[in-house]
Amino acid sequence: LATGPRQNNGIFYEIRTYDIKPAKMKEFLEMVNKYFHFRTAHSELVGFWYSELGAMNKVFHIWKYDNFAHRTAVRHALANDKDWQGKFISAALPLVEKQHNEVAYLVPWCQLGKPSKEGGVYEWVTFQMKPGGPALWGEAFRAAINAHINTGYTKLIGVFHTEYGLLNTVHVLWWNESPDHRAAGRHSAHEDARVVAAVRDSVRFLESQQNVLLIPLQCSPLK
């Protein structure tokens, strides 16, 4: 029930999550860093990360498309790219246990951001909200996000709302200087009355939440 408003253009983001065979993770990451330039020649990669905490043997990558026709053209070109198919896909697929993709839009009040410097860590937070879409929970959710931003301990990169995949899912991507910096900031935020009030209002619409600490790959534009 309900997807939600999007920004005033056709741009969307494909979020791909792969479960990698535990014994093959190092090999998979090495292949990505070596051969992924064949893939990024066809469309814009936003970021590519592997999980460090909160999930095991997972990689996350986000692709930007102008519209669905653009994605269709890219997928067709990839299917006919002999370097991509022969050097990466044929060797990488046996290392993958499971693939999952979603199509999501940036929420209307968010622009895709960048970290203030390279070398930090990312946090991927998935919120499963009650059915009804942003018309039901959008304002309360936005207030909770802004309350965390206003503490100054973390940097918002993007807020994505699913259009294909499990509906009423919101993914929030944050950047922090380090896991310890994030932990200290979270501790302070939990003692901030403004954050507590905003979260208390938003959590009324929350079904579940999962947090994953991510490390960017060498090939990731977001580092």
mmCIF file of all heavy atoms in Angstrom, residues 75-108:
data_model
loop_
_atom_site.group_PDB
_atom_site.id
_atom_site.type_symbol
_atom_site.label_atom_id
_atom_site.label_comp_id
_atom_site.label_asym_id
_atom_site.label_seq_id
_atom_site.Cartn_x
_atom_site.Cartn_y
_atom_site.Cartn_z
ATOM 1 N N ARG A 75 21.172 -1.998 -19.731
ATOM 2 C CA ARG A 75 21.165 -3.449 -19.556
ATOM 3 C C ARG A 75 21.406 -4.166 -20.891
ATOM 4 O O ARG A 75 22.087 -5.188 -20.940
ATOM 5 C CB ARG A 75 19.824 -3.903 -18.953
ATOM 6 C CG ARG A 75 19.490 -3.296 -17.594
ATOM 7 C CD ARG A 75 20.527 -3.574 -16.536
ATOM 8 N NE ARG A 75 20.644 -4.988 -16.234
ATOM 9 C CZ ARG A 75 21.553 -5.507 -15.427
ATOM 10 N NH1 ARG A 75 22.460 -4.724 -14.852
ATOM 11 N NH2 ARG A 75 21.582 -6.795 -15.187
ATOM 12 N N HIS A 76 20.852 -3.625 -21.961
ATOM 13 C CA HIS A 76 21.067 -4.215 -23.285
ATOM 14 C C HIS A 76 22.545 -4.112 -23.682
ATOM 15 O O HIS A 76 23.134 -5.077 -24.197
ATOM 16 C CB HIS A 76 20.188 -3.505 -24.318
ATOM 17 C CG HIS A 76 20.372 -4.012 -25.713
ATOM 18 N ND1 HIS A 76 19.839 -5.213 -26.156
ATOM 19 C CD2 HIS A 76 21.050 -3.488 -26.780
ATOM 20 C CE1 HIS A 76 20.175 -5.406 -27.413
ATOM 21 N NE2 HIS A 76 20.895 -4.380 -27.819
ATOM 22 N N ALA A 77 23.126 -2.947 -23.444
ATOM 23 C CA ALA A 77 24.535 -2.756 -23.784
ATOM 24 C C ALA A 77 25.432 -3.676 -22.963
ATOM 25 O O ALA A 77 26.413 -4.230 -23.480
ATOM 26 C CB ALA A 77 24.924 -1.295 -23.567
ATOM 27 N N LEU A 78 25.113 -3.865 -21.690
ATOM 28 C CA LEU A 78 25.920 -4.746 -20.838
ATOM 29 C C LEU A 78 25.863 -6.196 -21.318
ATOM 30 O O LEU A 78 26.862 -6.917 -21.261
ATOM 31 C CB LEU A 78 25.425 -4.665 -19.396
ATOM 32 C CG LEU A 78 25.751 -3.377 -18.643
ATOM 33 C CD1 LEU A 78 24.982 -3.327 -17.332
ATOM 34 C CD2 LEU A 78 27.248 -3.281 -18.389
ATOM 35 N N ALA A 79 24.690 -6.614 -21.767
ATOM 36 C CA ALA A 79 24.538 -7.989 -22.242
ATOM 37 C C ALA A 79 25.408 -8.252 -23.469
ATOM 38 O O ALA A 79 25.771 -9.405 -23.747
ATOM 39 C CB ALA A 79 23.075 -8.267 -22.571
ATOM 40 N N ASN A 80 25.774 -7.179 -24.187
ATOM 41 C CA ASN A 80 26.566 -7.325 -25.402
ATOM 42 C C ASN A 80 28.010 -6.850 -25.239
ATOM 43 O O ASN A 80 28.748 -6.780 -26.226
ATOM 44 C CB ASN A 80 25.893 -6.542 -26.540
ATOM 45 C CG ASN A 80 24.593 -7.166 -26.981
ATOM 46 O OD1 ASN A 80 24.574 -8.170 -27.687
ATOM 47 N ND2 ASN A 80 23.473 -6.586 -26.544
ATOM 48 N N ASP A 81 28.390 -6.547 -23.994
ATOM 49 C CA ASP A 81 29.747 -6.102 -23.710
ATOM 50 C C ASP A 81 30.604 -7.337 -23.413
ATOM 51 O O ASP A 81 30.500 -7.944 -22.337
ATOM 52 C CB ASP A 81 29.740 -5.142 -22.520
ATOM 53 C CG ASP A 81 31.105 -4.529 -22.250
ATOM 54 O OD1 ASP A 81 32.126 -5.228 -22.429
ATOM 55 O OD2 ASP A 81 31.153 -3.366 -21.829
ATOM 56 N N LYS A 82 31.445 -7.716 -24.341
ATOM 57 C CA LYS A 82 32.217 -8.958 -24.203
ATOM 58 C C LYS A 82 33.219 -8.890 -23.054
ATOM 59 O O LYS A 82 33.471 -9.899 -22.385
ATOM 60 C CB LYS A 82 32.934 -9.270 -25.522
ATOM 61 C CG LYS A 82 31.967 -9.613 -26.662
ATOM 62 C CD LYS A 82 32.721 -9.946 -27.945
ATOM 63 C CE LYS A 82 31.748 -10.302 -29.062
ATOM 64 N NZ LYS A 82 32.460 -10.610 -30.338
ATOM 65 N N ASP A 83 33.799 -7.721 -22.829
ATOM 66 C CA ASP A 83 34.728 -7.594 -21.704
ATOM 67 C C ASP A 83 34.010 -7.774 -20.370
ATOM 68 O O ASP A 83 34.489 -8.492 -19.479
ATOM 69 C CB ASP A 83 35.414 -6.227 -21.735
ATOM 70 C CG ASP A 83 36.489 -6.140 -22.794
ATOM 71 O OD1 ASP A 83 37.116 -7.186 -23.082
ATOM 72 O OD2 ASP A 83 36.711 -5.044 -23.331
ATOM 73 N N TRP A 84 32.868 -7.110 -20.213
ATOM 74 C CA TRP A 84 32.106 -7.213 -18.968
ATOM 75 C C TRP A 84 31.626 -8.636 -18.738
ATOM 76 O O TRP A 84 31.763 -9.186 -17.639
ATOM 77 C CB TRP A 84 30.926 -6.240 -19.005
ATOM 78 C CG TRP A 84 29.989 -6.342 -17.848
ATOM 79 C CD1 TRP A 84 28.670 -6.680 -17.890
ATOM 80 C CD2 TRP A 84 30.283 -6.101 -16.473
ATOM 81 N NE1 TRP A 84 28.121 -6.670 -16.636
ATOM 82 C CE2 TRP A 84 29.100 -6.312 -15.742
ATOM 83 C CE3 TRP A 84 31.434 -5.740 -15.776
ATOM 84 C CZ2 TRP A 84 29.029 -6.178 -14.361
ATOM 85 C CZ3 TRP A 84 31.376 -5.603 -14.393
ATOM 86 C CH2 TRP A 84 30.190 -5.821 -13.705
ATOM 87 N N GLN A 85 31.058 -9.244 -19.751
ATOM 88 C CA GLN A 85 30.518 -10.595 -19.616
ATOM 89 C C GLN A 85 31.636 -11.629 -19.438
ATOM 90 O O GLN A 85 31.532 -12.538 -18.599
ATOM 91 C CB GLN A 85 29.678 -10.950 -20.845
ATOM 92 C CG GLN A 85 28.413 -10.121 -21.021
ATOM 93 C CD GLN A 85 27.397 -10.343 -19.915
ATOM 94 O OE1 GLN A 85 27.319 -11.429 -19.335
ATOM 95 N NE2 GLN A 85 26.623 -9.308 -19.608
ATOM 96 N N GLY A 86 32.697 -11.475 -20.203
ATOM 97 C CA GLY A 86 33.732 -12.494 -20.188
ATOM 98 C C GLY A 86 34.713 -12.386 -19.039
ATOM 99 O O GLY A 86 35.116 -13.404 -18.453
ATOM 100 N N LYS A 87 35.083 -11.150 -18.655
ATOM 101 C CA LYS A 87 36.106 -10.979 -17.632
ATOM 102 C C LYS A 87 35.534 -10.882 -16.222
ATOM 103 O O LYS A 87 36.208 -11.257 -15.251
ATOM 104 C CB LYS A 87 36.949 -9.740 -17.938
ATOM 105 C CG LYS A 87 37.768 -9.883 -19.209
ATOM 106 C CD LYS A 87 38.614 -8.642 -19.490
ATOM 107 C CE LYS A 87 39.428 -8.821 -20.769
ATOM 108 N NZ LYS A 87 40.239 -7.615 -21.079
ATOM 109 N N PHE A 88 34.296 -10.383 -16.103
ATOM 110 C CA PHE A 88 33.735 -10.247 -14.757
ATOM 111 C C PHE A 88 32.561 -11.184 -14.513
ATOM 112 O O PHE A 88 32.620 -12.029 -13.611
ATOM 113 C CB PHE A 88 33.298 -8.802 -14.483
ATOM 114 C CG PHE A 88 32.778 -8.626 -13.083
ATOM 115 C CD1 PHE A 88 33.653 -8.452 -12.017
ATOM 116 C CD2 PHE A 88 31.416 -8.658 -12.813
ATOM 117 C CE1 PHE A 88 33.180 -8.317 -10.717
ATOM 118 C CE2 PHE A 88 30.935 -8.516 -11.522
ATOM 119 C CZ PHE A 88 31.825 -8.344 -10.464
ATOM 120 N N ILE A 89 31.502 -11.067 -15.272
ATOM 121 C CA ILE A 89 30.267 -11.794 -14.971
ATOM 122 C C ILE A 89 30.490 -13.302 -14.921
ATOM 123 O O ILE A 89 30.060 -13.980 -13.969
ATOM 124 C CB ILE A 89 29.161 -11.461 -15.993
ATOM 125 C CG1 ILE A 89 28.703 -10.005 -15.822
ATOM 126 C CG2 ILE A 89 27.973 -12.402 -15.827
ATOM 127 C CD1 ILE A 89 28.034 -9.704 -14.503
ATOM 128 N N SER A 90 31.147 -13.861 -15.908
ATOM 129 C CA SER A 90 31.316 -15.317 -15.961
ATOM 130 C C SER A 90 32.107 -15.837 -14.770
ATOM 131 O O SER A 90 31.867 -16.949 -14.285
ATOM 132 C CB SER A 90 32.006 -15.717 -17.271
ATOM 133 O OG SER A 90 33.294 -15.114 -17.357
ATOM 134 N N ALA A 91 33.040 -15.037 -14.262
ATOM 135 C CA ALA A 91 33.852 -15.458 -13.124
ATOM 136 C C ALA A 91 33.212 -15.101 -11.789
ATOM 137 O O ALA A 91 33.410 -15.799 -10.786
ATOM 138 C CB ALA A 91 35.237 -14.818 -13.221
ATOM 139 N N ALA A 92 32.435 -14.017 -11.746
ATOM 140 C CA ALA A 92 31.885 -13.537 -10.476
ATOM 141 C C ALA A 92 30.616 -14.272 -10.054
ATOM 142 O O ALA A 92 30.393 -14.491 -8.854
ATOM 143 C CB ALA A 92 31.596 -12.039 -10.564
ATOM 144 N N LEU A 93 29.793 -14.654 -11.000
ATOM 145 C CA LEU A 93 28.509 -15.271 -10.642
ATOM 146 C C LEU A 93 28.653 -16.529 -9.779
ATOM 147 O O LEU A 93 27.862 -16.726 -8.850
ATOM 148 C CB LEU A 93 27.700 -15.584 -11.904
ATOM 149 C CG LEU A 93 26.995 -14.384 -12.546
ATOM 150 C CD1 LEU A 93 26.182 -14.830 -13.753
ATOM 151 C CD2 LEU A 93 26.090 -13.654 -11.549
ATOM 152 N N PRO A 94 29.633 -17.384 -10.010
ATOM 153 C CA PRO A 94 29.780 -18.550 -9.126
ATOM 154 C C PRO A 94 30.129 -18.194 -7.684
ATOM 155 O O PRO A 94 30.018 -19.046 -6.794
ATOM 156 C CB PRO A 94 30.915 -19.345 -9.784
ATOM 157 C CG PRO A 94 30.907 -18.925 -11.212
ATOM 158 C CD PRO A 94 30.538 -17.482 -11.177
ATOM 159 N N LEU A 95 30.544 -16.960 -7.440
ATOM 160 C CA LEU A 95 30.913 -16.533 -6.093
ATOM 161 C C LEU A 95 29.724 -15.953 -5.326
ATOM 162 O O LEU A 95 29.819 -15.716 -4.122
ATOM 163 C CB LEU A 95 32.026 -15.474 -6.153
ATOM 164 C CG LEU A 95 33.222 -15.763 -7.059
ATOM 165 C CD1 LEU A 95 34.237 -14.639 -6.951
ATOM 166 C CD2 LEU A 95 33.851 -17.100 -6.719
ATOM 167 N N VAL A 96 28.617 -15.750 -6.025
ATOM 168 C CA VAL A 96 27.448 -15.083 -5.452
ATOM 169 C C VAL A 96 26.410 -16.109 -5.025
ATOM 170 O O VAL A 96 26.064 -17.013 -5.795
ATOM 171 C CB VAL A 96 26.838 -14.093 -6.468
ATOM 172 C CG1 VAL A 96 25.575 -13.441 -5.904
ATOM 173 C CG2 VAL A 96 27.853 -13.020 -6.857
ATOM 174 N N GLU A 97 25.903 -15.965 -3.806
ATOM 175 C CA GLU A 97 24.854 -16.860 -3.325
ATOM 176 C C GLU A 97 23.460 -16.334 -3.629
ATOM 177 O O GLU A 97 22.544 -17.099 -3.914
ATOM 178 C CB GLU A 97 24.994 -17.062 -1.815
ATOM 179 C CG GLU A 97 26.159 -17.938 -1.407
ATOM 180 C CD GLU A 97 26.090 -18.365 0.043
ATOM 181 O OE1 GLU A 97 25.551 -17.594 0.867
ATOM 182 O OE2 GLU A 97 26.586 -19.463 0.354
ATOM 183 N N LYS A 98 23.291 -15.022 -3.551
ATOM 184 C CA LYS A 98 21.956 -14.444 -3.719
ATOM 185 C C LYS A 98 22.080 -13.007 -4.190
ATOM 186 O O LYS A 98 23.015 -12.303 -3.812
ATOM 187 C CB LYS A 98 21.197 -14.508 -2.388
ATOM 188 C CG LYS A 98 19.746 -14.063 -2.459
ATOM 189 C CD LYS A 98 18.996 -14.419 -1.178
ATOM 190 C CE LYS A 98 19.584 -13.757 0.042
ATOM 191 N NZ LYS A 98 18.767 -14.011 1.258
ATOM 192 N N GLN A 99 21.119 -12.573 -5.017
ATOM 193 C CA GLN A 99 21.074 -11.195 -5.488
ATOM 194 C C GLN A 99 19.702 -10.605 -5.173
ATOM 195 O O GLN A 99 18.685 -11.295 -5.231
ATOM 196 C CB GLN A 99 21.295 -11.120 -7.004
ATOM 197 C CG GLN A 99 22.664 -11.564 -7.482
ATOM 198 C CD GLN A 99 22.718 -11.604 -8.995
ATOM 199 O OE1 GLN A 99 22.127 -12.468 -9.640
ATOM 200 N NE2 GLN A 99 23.443 -10.658 -9.584
ATOM 201 N N HIS A 100 19.703 -9.326 -4.858
ATOM 202 C CA HIS A 100 18.440 -8.622 -4.588
ATOM 203 C C HIS A 100 18.558 -7.213 -5.133
ATOM 204 O O HIS A 100 19.602 -6.574 -4.994
ATOM 205 C CB HIS A 100 18.170 -8.576 -3.084
ATOM 206 C CG HIS A 100 16.927 -7.819 -2.713
ATOM 207 N ND1 HIS A 100 15.661 -8.272 -2.994
ATOM 208 C CD2 HIS A 100 16.766 -6.627 -2.086
ATOM 209 C CE1 HIS A 100 14.768 -7.408 -2.557
ATOM 210 N NE2 HIS A 100 15.407 -6.399 -2.001
ATOM 211 N N ASN A 101 17.503 -6.735 -5.796
ATOM 212 C CA ASN A 101 17.544 -5.344 -6.250
ATOM 213 C C ASN A 101 16.242 -4.633 -5.926
ATOM 214 O O ASN A 101 15.178 -5.236 -5.804
ATOM 215 C CB ASN A 101 17.875 -5.247 -7.746
ATOM 216 C CG ASN A 101 16.699 -5.568 -8.636
ATOM 217 O OD1 ASN A 101 15.863 -6.406 -8.305
ATOM 218 N ND2 ASN A 101 16.632 -4.924 -9.777
ATOM 219 N N GLU A 102 16.364 -3.339 -5.751
ATOM 220 C CA GLU A 102 15.230 -2.458 -5.489
ATOM 221 C C GLU A 102 15.370 -1.220 -6.362
ATOM 222 O O GLU A 102 16.480 -0.814 -6.697
ATOM 223 C CB GLU A 102 15.197 -2.007 -4.025
ATOM 224 C CG GLU A 102 15.056 -3.127 -3.012
ATOM 225 C CD GLU A 102 15.317 -2.620 -1.600
ATOM 226 O OE1 GLU A 102 16.495 -2.367 -1.285
ATOM 227 O OE2 GLU A 102 14.353 -2.459 -0.839
ATOM 228 N N VAL A 103 14.247 -0.624 -6.696
ATOM 229 C CA VAL A 103 14.242 0.683 -7.339
ATOM 230 C C VAL A 103 13.715 1.682 -6.313
ATOM 231 O O VAL A 103 12.697 1.442 -5.660
ATOM 232 C CB VAL A 103 13.367 0.694 -8.604
ATOM 233 C CG1 VAL A 103 13.073 2.114 -9.059
ATOM 234 C CG2 VAL A 103 14.058 -0.078 -9.713
ATOM 235 N N ALA A 104 14.444 2.776 -6.152
ATOM 236 C CA ALA A 104 14.061 3.760 -5.142
ATOM 237 C C ALA A 104 14.289 5.164 -5.686
ATOM 238 O O ALA A 104 15.104 5.391 -6.586
ATOM 239 C CB ALA A 104 14.875 3.554 -3.858
ATOM 240 N N TYR A 105 13.539 6.103 -5.120
ATOM 241 C CA TYR A 105 13.715 7.520 -5.419
ATOM 242 C C TYR A 105 14.282 8.222 -4.195
ATOM 243 O O TYR A 105 14.006 7.825 -3.060
ATOM 244 C CB TYR A 105 12.378 8.166 -5.782
ATOM 245 C CG TYR A 105 11.746 7.639 -7.040
ATOM 246 C CD1 TYR A 105 10.680 6.746 -6.994
ATOM 247 C CD2 TYR A 105 12.207 8.040 -8.285
ATOM 248 C CE1 TYR A 105 10.089 6.263 -8.154
ATOM 249 C CE2 TYR A 105 11.632 7.562 -9.454
ATOM 250 C CZ TYR A 105 10.573 6.674 -9.383
ATOM 251 O OH TYR A 105 10.000 6.199 -10.529
ATOM 252 N N LEU A 106 15.051 9.260 -4.425
ATOM 253 C CA LEU A 106 15.359 10.155 -3.320
ATOM 254 C C LEU A 106 14.071 10.830 -2.880
ATOM 255 O O LEU A 106 13.252 11.224 -3.719
ATOM 256 C CB LEU A 106 16.364 11.226 -3.753
ATOM 257 C CG LEU A 106 17.840 10.831 -3.827
ATOM 258 C CD1 LEU A 106 18.633 11.978 -4.439
ATOM 259 C CD2 LEU A 106 18.398 10.470 -2.462
ATOM 260 N N VAL A 107 13.869 10.948 -1.581
ATOM 261 C CA VAL A 107 12.678 11.650 -1.109
ATOM 262 C C VAL A 107 12.765 13.106 -1.562
ATOM 263 O O VAL A 107 13.859 13.645 -1.787
ATOM 264 C CB VAL A 107 12.542 11.552 0.424
ATOM 265 C CG1 VAL A 107 12.341 10.108 0.845
ATOM 266 C CG2 VAL A 107 13.754 12.155 1.126
ATOM 267 N N PRO A 108 11.623 13.793 -1.726
ATOM 268 C CA PRO A 108 11.627 15.139 -2.315
ATOM 269 C C PRO A 108 12.464 16.162 -1.558
ATOM 270 O O PRO A 108 12.961 17.118 -2.148
ATOM 271 C CB PRO A 108 10.145 15.521 -2.306
ATOM 272 C CG PRO A 108 9.406 14.228 -2.312
ATOM 273 C CD PRO A 108 10.263 13.288 -1.509
#
